[in-house]
Amino acid sequence: MGRERDHLYITVPNLFRCPISMDVMRSPVSLCTGITYDRASIQHWLESGHDTCPATMQILQSKDVIPNLTLRRLINLWAQSRGPSSPASSPCLSSQHLASLVQFLRNENETEKFSQNIVHSLSKTADFARVGEENRRFVANFDGFVSAIVGILNREGVEIEVLESVIKVLDSILPQSGVNEQLSRFIAKSNGNYLASIRLVLQKGSLSSKNESVKVLDSIALDAESKRLIAEKEGLLSVLNNLLSLETCQDLYGAVFSCLASLSVNRSIKAELVRFGLVRVVTSTLLNPDTSTTLAEKCLKLLSTVATCAEGRSAISGEEKCAGAVAERLMKVSRGATEDGVAVLWSVCCMLGDKRARESVAGGNVVAKVLLVMQSGYGEGHFVRRMCGDLVKVLSVGLGLGLRYDTKTIHIMPC
């Protein structure tokens, strides 16, 4: 038992984990973006047809990889200090253990009677699954395991600690292919208890459980129907929004922003989020100097989503510092996020024609930034370049600048 616990609770430095597989890197290599991955994982990513950095989603100017020899030496030294056994080399949970757990979970009477045993066993399973890809595969693919733990969410009156431990396991195995599809199918066929249980954890769970619950929701929002089902579940959007006023964790904010952007599949949902005051919260987050680049990118994504409806554009226009906050972030975030920011500014400055929004960005050197976006090859697919051209036109008029531009060549010249 002692040996099993040593394997289960070993701490692996995050720096040593591959951002794709979450396993300890065997051959760390760096992309041109500066992000390091395990060679096997990033090669599989690139060979699958992707041309972006998985962590930042920036378009790769080069797909060449450079061995990170310093990090490799550090990993080797750390591995030697742990002894000959790798943390993910041999399973700590046997098939017999999971078989017993599945049987126990399916027995409703025993589950309610021995809730503390369930919490301990599921937490142990989640810790095991988080060690690496091999462990996640072992747990997620075990016959009947996913349906058994998800079945707990479909019951009424389950203790919050048990629900939290179930969410913890689901979050730990989400990276395993096919898990989110299974969850989405279960929820689509349910009477609503699944989502009600997740909502309860969002309301009464610990901070980590809330964060995990939001990520579970986001992962199962796979298509328009599942997104609509989640968004229209009574009170769920309100609960997600309330997390932004009750908590201050950037990780949680990022998870909520991503989930809300994913769920905003129609005008009514976007309008409801606007009524909740979401634009004000996002603006405040963008203005906060402590906001990370990753969180700022999620803010811009959510704003660009709600800006596609009239209520969203009006709210952005009505939030005095919103347009300025967006303009300030241009070119300081990833390519995709910069394009989201351009879309937000275009929506209020051009489509809505808001004079106040134009004035709020006038002092932020935004015209120069928009010109740089155009000349840097952003949005080569059409729309972003067109929006940039419109922005240059309306903003340069407001600033008294004489500019003419050719939208085909995107060369900008003073008149």
Side-chain angles (χ1 to χ4, degrees):
M1 186 67 177
R3 180 180 177 82
E4 177 179 296
R5 290 181 64 86
D6 286 342
H7 281 297
L8 266 174
Y9 296 102
I10 190 169
T11 300
V12 179
N14 289 332
L15 181 65
F16 296 169
R17 292 186 184 278
C18 172
I20 297 175
S21 69
M22 297 307 294
D23 293 337
V24 176
M25 289 182 279
R26 296 179 181 274
S27 179
V29 294
S30 299
L31 291 177
C32 59
T33 57
I35 307 299
T36 299
Y37 302 86
D38 186 66
R39 183 184 294 274
S41 296
I42 193 61
Q43 284 183 341
H44 177 73
W45 170 268
L46 297 175
E47 289 170 0
S48 298
H50 298 93
D51 62 349
T52 57
C53 173
T56 66
M57 297 312 295
Q58 291 177 268
I59 299 294
L60 295 174
Q61 302 303 316
S62 168
K63 293 186 178 181
D64 294 332
V65 296
I66 302 173
N68 191 328
L69 301 179
T70 300
L71 184 56
R72 183 171 184 174
R73 283 195 295 269
L74 291 174
I75 293 174
N76 288 338
L77 289 172
W78 172 81
Q80 291 170 13
S81 71
R82 302 302 312 183
S85 297
S86 166
S89 60
S90 57
C92 307
L93 297 179
S94 66
S95 297
Q96 291 80 2
H97 177 95
L98 281 182
S100 298
L101 180 57
V102 168
Q103 184 177 3
F104 194 73
L105 291 173
R106 286 175 172 169
N107 189 322
E108 186 169 347
N109 294 328
E110 288 189 0
T111 302
E112 294 176 355
K113 184 177 179 181
F114 300 105
S115 62
Q116 289 305 311
N117 290 345
I118 289 294
V119 170
H120 173 73
S121 185
L122 288 177
S123 294
K124 184 177 178 180
T125 303
D127 291 339
F128 168 78
R130 284 174 173 161
V131 169
E133 175 69 20
E134 182 180 349
N135 290 12
R136 282 194 295 274
R137 188 183 304 113
F138 176 66
V139 173
N141 294 340
F142 190 84
D143 186 33
F145 179 76
V146 173
S147 62
I149 59 170
V150 175
I152 302 296
L153 297 179
N154 201 35
R155 298 178 188 174
E156 296 181 357
V158 179
E159 294 183 13
I160 185 68
E161 291 82 5
V162 175
L163 295 178
E164 286 182 292
S165 63
V166 169
I167 293 295
K168 183 178 181 180
V169 173
L170 292 178
D171 178 62
S172 70
I173 61 177
L174 281 176
Q176 183 60 36
S177 176
V179 171
N180 50 358
E181 288 85 352
Q182 290 186 64
L183 298 181
S184 186
R185 286 197 298 270
F186 283 131
I187 289 176
K189 296 177 181 179
S190 77
N191 56 8
N193 282 344
Y194 290 113
L195 294 176
S197 294
I198 294 176
R199 183 180 62 192
L200 182 62
V201 177
L202 290 171
Q203 291 173 315
K204 298 184 177 181
S206 65
L207 178 60
S208 61
S209 295
K210 292 175 181 177
N211 196 8
E212 291 160 354
S213 297
V214 176
K215 289 190 288 183
V216 168
L217 276 180
D218 197 10
S219 73
I220 59 180
L222 299 176
D223 50 37
E225 179 59 26
S226 59
K227 292 176 181 180
R228 183 197 60 78
L229 182 65
I230 295 170
E232 294 180 359
K233 176 63 181 177
E234 185 177 356
L236 197 49
L237 284 181
S238 177
V239 170
L240 287 170
N241 184 71
N242 287 341
L243 290 176
L244 301 175
S245 59
L246 297 174
E247 306 289 354
T248 58
C249 174
Q250 288 205 11
D251 286 343
L252 179 60
Y253 268 48
V256 173
F257 288 156
S258 292
C259 187
L260 292 178
S262 178
L263 295 177
S264 299
V265 292
N266 57 46
R267 178 179 176 178
S268 63
I269 296 173
K270 297 170 189 175
E272 186 172 2
L273 294 178
V274 170
R275 287 194 296 272
F276 287 148
L278 186 65
V279 172
R280 182 174 60 255
V281 175
V282 174
T283 301
S284 177
T285 305
L286 282 174
L287 290 170
N288 186 345
D290 294 328
T291 294
S292 68
T293 300
T294 299
L295 182 56
E297 291 171 351
K298 293 179 179 180
C299 288
L300 294 173
K301 179 64 177 178
L302 184 54
L303 279 178
S304 70
T305 301
V306 299
T308 58
C309 73
E311 293 85 350
R313 292 189 290 274
S314 295
I316 294 171
S317 173
E319 194 63 38
E320 183 180 356
K321 296 182 178 181
C322 185
V326 171
E328 175 62 25
R329 295 282 179 171
L330 292 183
M331 303 301 292
K332 296 180 180 179
V333 290
S334 69
R335 184 190 187 101
T338 291
E339 294 180 357
D340 287 331
V342 168
V344 174
L345 294 179
W346 179 86
S347 296
V348 293
C349 294
C350 301
M351 187 175 183
L352 188 63
D354 182 23
K355 183 178 179 181
R356 291 175 304 171
R358 298 175 187 174
E359 292 174 348
S360 70
V361 302
N365 201 27
V366 70
V367 172
K369 291 181 179 179
V370 173
L371 292 177
L372 185 58
V373 170
M374 294 177 71
Q375 294 176 334
S376 298
Y378 280 67
E380 294 180 358
H382 313 282
F383 298 111
V384 174
R385 282 199 300 175
R386 292 182 184 177
M387 288 188 289
C388 285
D390 291 343
L391 280 170
V392 169
K393 185 176 181 179
V394 299
L395 294 177
S396 62
V397 169
L399 292 172
L401 302 176
L403 295 175
R404 62 186 177 85
Y405 58 91
D406 184 332
T407 56
K408 294 182 179 179
T409 64
I410 65 167
H411 290 307
I412 314 299
M413 297 159 285
C415 291

